[in-house]
Amino acid sequence: MEDNLLIRVALPLVNFIIMCGIGLTLEVADFRRIGRSPKSVAVGVAGHYLLLPAIGFVMAYVFRDTPGFAIGFVLLAACPSASVSNTLSYLAGGNVALAVALTAISAVASLLSVPAWILLAARAFDIEGRMVQLPVSETIARLAVLVLLPVALGMGARHWARAWALRVQPWISRVALLSLILVVVAFAVTQWELVSRSISELGAATLAMSAAAMVGGLLLARAVKLSFADSVTISIEVGVQNCMLAMLVALTILHSVQAALPAATYGLMMFVPALAVVALGRRARREAPQT
């Protein structure tokens, strides 16, 4: 597989599958539900757009001497939540309705969060060059095609062909997860020289970032006395990133392989703390009747 084939075909296709998968889990009622759980949703949004960017900027500061990595960590933080987070929330015994609502918000908010955080990072770290020549209006338009169009198609399928959508949605989630892993592996193979030089450094950093995001999300939720189910959900939602979107933006808009490496590495490392949170949630659910 050549680089251009991966970037021009595989990444957009997998992103389309992932975003359609998100759309298949959403209904208009999910957006209405946001108003019925304002506290939990507000905490989740704070985790997405305050806590997560703060962690992203800390990681960017650590890698400030490598501009591509610095931008990549901030870009990763600007793309919260993915379809797999809803599945993980379900497995952990979390609040799936809350997970879906937060995923819906992040799908829309990414149109603004991605260009805003990238431009802020470029100023904060005085990064110049092609990777930060980001026309905002054009970027928002391209993100609308990458994000809103497939989500809308998925929502439309759920509305107009509900039985079919409910039947295929679990399979779409599995295909999306497998496709994400395959694309990350393919990316590593095609860019092996660069990946091999940075994987040892980025592996620990992305693991630390994902663990910090999940622990921070859990502590934030518990600090405001949300239920344990809501807390577990927010932990997963804050820590599980839309790595495919981050990679696609890095490679097709920023034209930087280096900026895609944090997302590619994070796409694998985030499952370590995520599965730990799932185990914690399942254990708490088993013990709940006895307490």
Side-chain angles (χ1 to χ4, degrees):
M1 179 181 292
E2 297 180 356
D3 295 354
N4 62 348
L5 186 63
L6 176 66
I7 295 172
R8 296 177 186 176
V9 179
L11 260 67
L13 177 60
V14 173
N15 179 75
F16 183 85
I17 293 172
I18 291 174
M19 300 312 293
C20 274
I22 290 176
L24 285 171
T25 68
L26 299 177
E27 299 178 278
V28 175
D30 294 317
F31 292 90
R32 298 195 192 103
R33 188 180 292 119
I34 294 171
R36 296 198 292 268
S37 303
K39 184 177 179 180
S40 296
V41 171
V43 173
V45 170
H48 275 173
Y49 299 106
L50 294 177
L51 175 62
L52 189 54
I55 296 172
F57 271 87
V58 169
M59 300 307 299
Y61 180 79
V62 172
F63 290 93
R64 62 191 181 279
D65 294 331
T66 310
F69 288 169
I71 288 292
F73 275 107
V74 174
L75 171 60
L76 184 59
C79 298
S81 194
S83 56
V84 70
S85 65
N86 298 340
T87 302
L88 291 170
S89 292
Y90 169 76
L91 293 174
N95 184 339
V96 179
L98 174 62
V100 170
L102 291 173
T103 299
I105 292 172
S106 67
V108 176
S110 62
L111 271 68
L112 297 178
S113 66
V114 169
W117 287 122
I118 290 176
L119 292 174
L120 183 59
R123 288 190 177 186
F125 300 108
D126 194 25
I127 297 172
E128 299 179 354
R130 187 175 62 174
M131 73 165 54
V132 293
Q133 293 177 1
L134 195 70
V136 175
S137 58
E138 180 182 340
T139 300
I140 291 174
R142 294 184 68 176
L143 285 170
V145 174
L146 294 174
V147 176
L148 292 189
L149 178 59
V151 168
L153 289 174
M155 290 182 67
R158 186 179 178 96
H159 179 75
W160 297 108
R162 185 178 181 85
W164 175 84
L166 293 175
R167 188 167 60 251
V168 303
Q169 193 274 325
W171 290 101
I172 292 291
S173 296
R174 295 187 187 104
V175 170
L177 176 58
L178 179 60
S179 299
L180 171 62
I181 294 172
L182 289 176
V183 167
V184 168
V185 171
F187 178 78
V189 171
T190 58
Q191 301 294 335
W192 180 246
E193 183 178 353
L194 181 58
V195 170
S196 62
R197 291 201 309 265
S198 59
I199 191 65
S200 60
E201 191 175 21
L202 287 178
T206 51
L207 178 60
M209 180 177 176
S210 59
M214 291 186 199
V215 172
L218 184 64
L219 293 177
L220 178 64
R222 298 304 283 169
V224 297
K225 304 186 185 305
L226 294 185
S227 69
F228 192 77
D230 283 5
S231 299
V232 166
T233 297
I234 289 172
S235 173
I236 291 172
E237 283 290 317
V238 174
V240 175
Q241 305 308 301
N242 193 337
C243 300
M244 184 55 58
L245 179 60
M247 289 179 63
L248 194 55
V249 171
L251 294 171
T252 64
I253 297 179
L254 300 180
H255 305 289
S256 171
V257 172
Q258 198 174 58
L261 285 171
T265 310
Y266 195 101
L268 297 176
M269 301 305 295
M270 70 181 182
F271 287 103
V272 177
L275 292 177
V277 173
V278 168
L280 176 66
R282 293 177 70 87
R283 178 180 177 181
R285 185 172 56 180
R286 287 196 305 268
E287 296 178 350
Q290 305 172 2
T291 59

